[in-house]
Each structure stands twice: as structure tokens, then as C-alpha cells.
Amino acid sequence: MTARLVIMVAAIAACSGRSSTPVGSRIGPALGAALAAADESHEPWRCAAPDGPSVAEETLTTGGHTWQLGGHVMRLDGEGQVAVGVIADAAGSAPATLAALGRLRAGLQHVDLVISLGGMGTTRAELEAVFAALTDRAPWPLVAIPGDLESAAAQVEAIAAARQRGAAVIDGRLVQRIELPAATIALLPGAKAPSRLAAGGDGCRYRAGDVASVFAGLTAREGLRIVAAAEAPRAADGEPTGERDMTVGAGQQIDIALHGPTGVAATPARNGSRDGAAVSLTPGSCDATPRLPGPRRFPTAGILTVRGGGWSWKPIQDVK
């Protein structure tokens, strides 16, 4: 019996006791309260669960690369450097933002893969428009990680529509690990707190145990160890920002934490190696509307290039 049905039965049973008030006048309000409680008890999707749904087996060829998908893994075999475009926080399909995405694509023309870190839109129409701006006739696959805005149902529908158009969009709820020749990228979709989800019960959340499982799995991997998530790890430069459970714990090691914006800017250019430093990198926001407070800003993205045991990061900006 579902939680909703249990609540309804309990409410009706409570109304059946002795009372001078007519039964009909008591059942209506009780049922209304029960349904409201059932709606509030609806849990968001646990999209980062290790035993969650997986991607169908597929061989995907884009831009001269062949990707193997199956289980929870997306794999690129071979050797040599790989460039990963990173983008986040379109916040919907405003015309100015779609135009900015088109211009940012010019700076991503030589990448092998693009990852969106969530906050791209809530509805199917918004996500379809954003995915089209990023992927139509693009030489790369897009792995779309849901964040605090995305509805799981809307994302599924928007990705299906993109695939019907021939665009290579991959659901970041189903792929939990991207294996590159010199790096592993683990994906953590959603937000920790349900209160942060614009889509409510149809949004994606993760649990502390999901993060611990991801970090433990990454620690054991060869090559660069990268986590890609909508939410940032906790930082305490001035006012604390980020999620405490996204911080690497004792006995765990990652080299890079890719995450959505905590302010208006992308991380400046830098580089590093496999050193377990958990360097925090954000592409900033690609939203071109004046939604965020602060000085005038331009939409941004970033490119992470991995080669051997080293990596480099370069922000890109739409300056129109």
C-alpha cells in the first residue's frame, strides 16, 4: 500500500468514529488534509543511488570519437589528451541566454565532450531549447546532469526529443561514471536538500552516503579523479558556501571538483596534477539575464583538458 493510500485510509477511519457532526462534512476536509500530507511526503528522485537505473548499451560516434555506453558507464577508449567543455546555470531558455549559448559554442568547437552541471531549466520546453542550442550539429556528446532546477520527467522527455533530432544528449542520471584515457569523471546529480529543488518531488537529490560511495570509488581509480556535480563542496572564504557533504573526507582523494556556480564568475585559468588536492573549478553561469545580483556580468563556460597525469583549466566568456 502506498504512503498516499495509507494516509487516506487513516483519515477516513478517523472520520468514522462517534461524533455529532455529519460524516460527510468530516470526510471532505480530512481527505483534503490527507492528500496534502501525501503530496508533502513525496520524495524527490534519488538520482545518485549506486543501484539506480542505468543507461542502455550503445555505441555512439561523434566528432571522430567512439563512445561505449552501458550500465552506469560512458567510456572513451584510446590515448592522448581529451578536452571537456563545462557549462551550467542557463536558468531557462530566455532568448538572450540561447543567443549566448550559441556564441559560447564557438569557444567549445575543439572539445571532445560537454558536460552541463545542472540549473539549465525546469520544464521540457526550456530544456529542449537549451539542449538544441548546445548540441544541434555539434561534434560532441552532451552529458546533462540535473541540478536544482531540472524536473526528472521533463529532462527525460527533452533528452528523448533531442535524440530523435539526432543530437547526442546523454542523461546524467543514468551515467554515473565517464571513463577517459587518463581520467575518470564521476557524476553527482541533484541537490542535497529537497528544499532547494525547484521541481519539488520530481527533482533529483542525493544523500551523504551517495557522495561517500562516489568518493571512495574515485579514490581507487587510476589517472585523474574528477567529480562533476551541480552543487559545490563547502568553502569558507568569507561567508560559507557549498554543501558540507560534498567535501572530501578522511581516506578519500579526488583531484578536481567540477561544480555549478557559487557566484557570478568562472574559475580563472589554472592547472594541476594527480595530487588529491580536490581543486574546485566552476564554469560560472551561462545565464544572460539579469537574474543574479552584483555587477554586470557576461555568460561563461570552461574547458578542462586532461593529458597524462596533468590537467589545465581555461574559462571562456561571451563578451557581446
Side-chain angles (χ1 to χ4, degrees):
M1 183 178 290
T2 65
R4 177 187 289 265
L5 190 55
V6 168
I7 294 171
M8 289 175 63
V9 169
I12 294 171
C15 289
S16 64
R18 293 183 179 179
S19 171
S20 59
T21 307
V23 172
S25 65
R26 286 179 281 128
I27 289 180
L31 280 177
L35 290 173
D39 286 339
E40 291 176 1
S41 70
H42 179 54
E43 291 288 336
W45 296 96
R46 188 183 165 203
C47 295
D51 58 351
S54 60
V55 69
E57 291 190 5
E58 179 182 10
T59 298
L60 187 64
T61 301
T62 59
H65 288 305
T66 299
W67 299 86
Q68 301 293 334
L69 286 81
H72 291 122
V73 178
M74 179 176 179
R75 179 181 296 108
L76 176 63
D77 293 324
E79 56 187 24
Q81 78 173 31
V82 176
V84 181
V86 190
I87 200 160
D89 194 48
S93 55
T97 298
L98 295 180
L101 289 176
R103 293 187 293 270
L104 287 170
R105 274 187 58 163
L108 299 173
Q109 59 183 331
H110 298 303
V111 303
D112 305 295
L113 167 72
V114 174
I115 300 175
S116 62
L117 299 176
M120 303 303 280
T122 301
T123 68
R124 171 179 173 171
E126 290 175 343
L127 292 171
E128 275 197 58
V130 169
F131 293 161
L134 285 172
T135 62
D136 283 0
R137 297 181 298 281
W140 57 69
L142 168 69
V143 178
I145 301 175
D148 60 344
L149 293 187
E150 284 82 355
S151 154
Q155 172 143 329
V156 168
E157 293 170 352
I159 289 176
R163 295 303 294 264
Q164 288 181 344
R165 293 194 309 270
V169 183
I170 310 301
D171 195 335
R173 301 174 311 120
L174 307 182
V175 171
Q176 298 182 353
R177 192 169 71 246
I178 303 173
E179 296 179 358
L180 305 175
T184 299
I185 305 175
L187 311 184
L188 265 171
K192 169 72 183 303
S195 60
R196 299 176 194 153
L197 299 176
D202 199 41
C204 279
R205 69 167 300 195
Y206 61 82
R207 298 178 182 175
D210 299 329
V211 181
S213 176
V214 165
F215 285 166
L218 272 181
T219 298
R221 302 287 298 181
E222 296 181 357
L224 292 170
R225 299 154 298 184
I226 304 164
V227 63
E231 294 196 313
R234 175 61 58 92
D237 184 11
E239 286 293 323
T241 60
E243 174 55 54
R244 185 179 309 168
D245 287 329
M246 288 291 297
T247 304
V248 178
Q252 302 171 340
Q253 283 196 333
I254 66 168
D255 305 303
I256 300 170
L258 291 174
H259 58 81
T262 55
V264 297
T267 303
R270 62 181 304 175
N271 55 63
S273 61
R274 179 185 158 94
D275 55 11
V279 176
S280 179
L281 301 176
T282 178
S285 173
C286 63
D287 180 11
T289 68
R291 175 176 59 96
L292 298 175
R296 181 170 182 255
R297 54 167 300 280
F298 298 100
T300 55
I303 299 175
L304 176 66
T305 301
V306 297
R307 61 178 74 83
W311 60 267
S312 63
W313 169 261
K314 180 180 76 171
I316 59 176
Q317 179 174 278
D318 171 38
V319 294
K320 185 178 183 302

